[in-house]
Amino acid sequence: MTHVMNTYARLPVAFARGEGVWLWDTGGRRYLDALAGIAVCGLGHSHPKLTAVLREQVGKLIHTSNLYEISLQEKLAGRLAAISGMDNVFFCNSGCEANEAAIKIARLYGHHKDIESPAIVVMEKAFHGRTIATLTATGSRKVQAGFEPLLAGFVRVPFDDLEAVKRVAESNRSVVAVLVELLQGEGGVNVCHEDYLRGLREICDAQGWLLMLDEVQSSMGRTGKWFAFQHSKARPDVMTLAKGLGNGVPIGACLAAGAAAQQFKQGNHGSTFGGNPLACSAALATIDIIEQERLMENAVAMGDFIRAAFAERLEGVRGVKEIRGMGLMIGIELEHPCGDLVKQALEQGLLINVTAENVIRLLPPLVISREEAEQLVAILAPLVTGFLASQSAPQAAAQTA
Ligand SMILES: *Cc1c(COP(=O)(O)O)cnc(C)c1O
């Protein structure tokens, strides 16, 4: 009997080691990892440079306390500010915590403007985490059900709909911020229109709202830029990071610029582990390696290749709705719930994910090679066509009966 709480439907496989995009299970069988621990291991597994940095840091110092100066934290904050154009950073340990910090900044910002009950605009199908505040911000009943009462102070609108945000601006005087994933991950790899960010920026500027981007999944080179917002010209006031930041060493960050960067005063927020020497050394090394190995360029090239290869292999196949994404954040939407494909792929030695019930989600390590990308497509494409054929078969049989 397991003593682990039953919060995950786990696949019947356990991994013993990894190298690059490959994982080996406890029986020695090899798998192509097209999920990277859910967009975490951008450098792949056991990256030799990261391993060396971590080994050295563990031998020196793992943790002190935020009661003292931490030079690696200062260095990482400077590096993140430089690559993002943001002003300052609060460090925590996960995505939901980074979003909690963002929500607290927005509420402080509102109270400083004498708004008694500040509200944040959030999106349908959004995912922001599993704490009470972030599950309230999340646009999924499945995530929220059973955890009522939810928090006050959130207003929901459809994703990628500027008019809906404008209508809120006209009717609700309590709003202080918008919190949005430019590229929704858990919600089904939903891509926004090109002018969405600029439009949100204009509304936020006109209303005096903070524009807060949840880039927990879409950052650290995954879409071909450090951050997804960098595909457009506008900049956010607040941005949250986690997943790919430490390549698996837990670290989250909430970055802020302008007025948002000045909200927290001493004693307003904190985290025991946040920004400790081990986590910061992991993130610094991750940033260095992404740059040195030109992994953002690779993410664009391999993402384009994988999407094009699936478009070709799945062309005209009934039941394929759309192939979309940016860089190595890829979604293949089918017309049927397709959770079964995860198990089928596992049996073929391929790790994938299905989200929003009918969207195959691929988040391979940024180090994936052309040959490995070809292998991914070669395994998955026939599984998809086979799965879709089996889905339409009963209907066809029913029609002839
Ligand atoms: C995964 C994720 C989170 C939550 O991160 P945790 O580290 O699991 O708390 C928040 N926002 C987005 C967009 C995510 O993908």
Side-chain angles (χ1 to χ4, degrees):
M1 187 202 134
T2 177
H3 293 282
V4 176
M5 280 199 195
N6 191 27
T7 55
Y8 280 94
R10 293 171 195 275
L11 292 160
V13 63
F15 299 106
R17 68 187 178 91
E19 202 182 304
V21 303
W22 301 100
L23 281 169
W24 282 264
D25 71 15
T26 45
R29 187 167 175 225
R30 192 174 81 146
Y31 301 78
L32 202 172
D33 181 5
L35 188 60
I38 318 186
V40 168
C41 304
L43 311 180
H45 303 283
S46 313
H47 192 289
K49 282 188 200 154
L50 178 67
T51 304
V53 167
L54 291 178
R55 283 208 167 111
E56 199 189 325
Q57 189 58 46
V58 166
K60 251 199 254 176
L61 196 61
I62 294 175
H63 177 86
T64 53
S65 167
N66 283 307
L67 298 176
Y68 311 108
E69 290 179 3
I70 301 174
S71 56
L72 283 164
Q73 192 182 118
E74 293 288 340
K75 196 171 165 195
L76 177 59
R79 198 83 162 82
L80 286 172
I83 61 175
S84 67
M86 306 295 279
D87 292 336
N88 59 19
V89 189
F90 172 82
F91 289 107
C92 50
N93 317 285
S94 64
C96 61
E97 279 176 86
N99 288 329
E100 288 276 347
I103 292 164
K104 285 179 73 171
I105 286 173
R107 287 185 166 195
L108 272 183
Y109 174 79
H111 286 297
H112 289 153
K113 295 208 299 182
D114 282 331
I115 293 172
E116 207 167 289
S117 194
I120 300 170
V121 176
V122 290
M123 306 299 154
E124 287 172 8
K125 296 187 187 169
F127 183 81
H128 298 299
R130 303 277 193 164
T131 62
I132 295 294
T134 59
L135 74 81
T136 301
T138 290
S140 153
R141 271 310 292 161
K142 241 167 98 179
V143 171
Q144 297 172 338
F147 302 108
E148 297 81 1
L150 302 182
L151 288 189
F154 293 92
V155 181
R156 196 167 308 283
V157 297
F159 176 62
D160 200 21
D161 182 346
L162 290 171
E163 291 307 314
V165 181
K166 281 181 196 159
R167 280 195 294 277
V168 172
E170 281 157 18
S171 61
N172 191 324
R173 298 278 110 212
S174 299
V175 171
V176 295
V178 176
L179 174 62
V180 58
E181 299 155 88
L182 286 181
L183 180 50
Q184 291 185 326
E186 306 302 305
V189 193
N190 303 314
V191 185
C192 65
H193 286 93
E194 222 179 300
D195 49 6
Y196 187 52
L197 178 62
R198 211 188 48 218
L200 287 176
R201 183 71 271 174
E202 280 169 14
I203 297 170
C204 287
D205 286 343
Q207 301 296 325
W209 297 351
L210 299 180
L211 177 52
M212 310 202 296
L213 301 182
D214 180 344
E215 292 237 24
V216 166
Q217 190 163 152
S218 58
S219 56
M220 303 317 293
R222 180 143 297 275
T223 71
K225 304 269 189 193
W226 286 115
F227 313 104
F229 84 82
Q230 291 172 329
H231 292 280
S232 330
K233 289 238 153 54
R235 192 198 63 181
D237 301 296
V238 175
M239 172 171 68
T240 56
L241 309 176
K243 290 193 166 87
L245 183 53
N247 208 61
V249 178
I251 180 167
C254 176
L255 285 67
Q262 306 307 322
Q263 296 305 314
F264 282 149
K265 304 284 186 253
Q266 292 179 3
N268 278 153
H269 200 42
S271 164
T272 297
F273 295 133
N276 81 14
L278 179 65
C280 290
S281 70
L284 278 164
T286 299
I287 292 169
D288 283 344
I289 295 165
I290 290 172
E291 206 166 60
Q292 286 159 9
E293 300 190 358
R294 306 177 70 82
L295 296 183
M296 291 185 269
E297 289 88 332
N298 195 57
V300 172
M302 292 305 108
D304 287 350
F305 168 75
I306 290 169
R307 272 189 300 277
F310 277 114
E312 194 184 309
R313 298 276 299 250
L314 299 177
E315 197 195 329
V317 173
R318 267 184 58 188
V320 179
K321 243 173 130 172
E322 194 183 20
I323 299 165
R324 58 179 178 250
M326 288 172 83
L328 286 173
M329 197 163 161
I330 299 168
I332 303 172
E333 182 173 354
L334 305 185
E335 278 165 16
H336 313 276
C338 57
D340 282 355
L341 275 172
V342 174
K343 228 174 202 162
Q344 292 178 20
L346 182 74
E347 282 160 15
Q348 302 290 316
L350 174 67
L351 307 180
I352 61 165
N353 175 252
V354 166
T355 191
E357 290 197 331
N358 61 335
V359 181
I360 301 165
R361 179 170 52 159
L362 305 174
L363 300 162
L366 311 185
V367 296
I368 193 169
S369 69
R370 168 72 184 247
E371 195 192 344
E372 289 158 347
E374 279 169 8
Q375 282 174 274
L376 191 173
V377 177
I379 299 171
L380 187 53
L383 283 180
V384 173
T385 43
F387 173 79
L388 288 169
S390 77
Q391 291 298 300
S392 54
Q395 284 168 19
Q399 275 160 16
T400 47

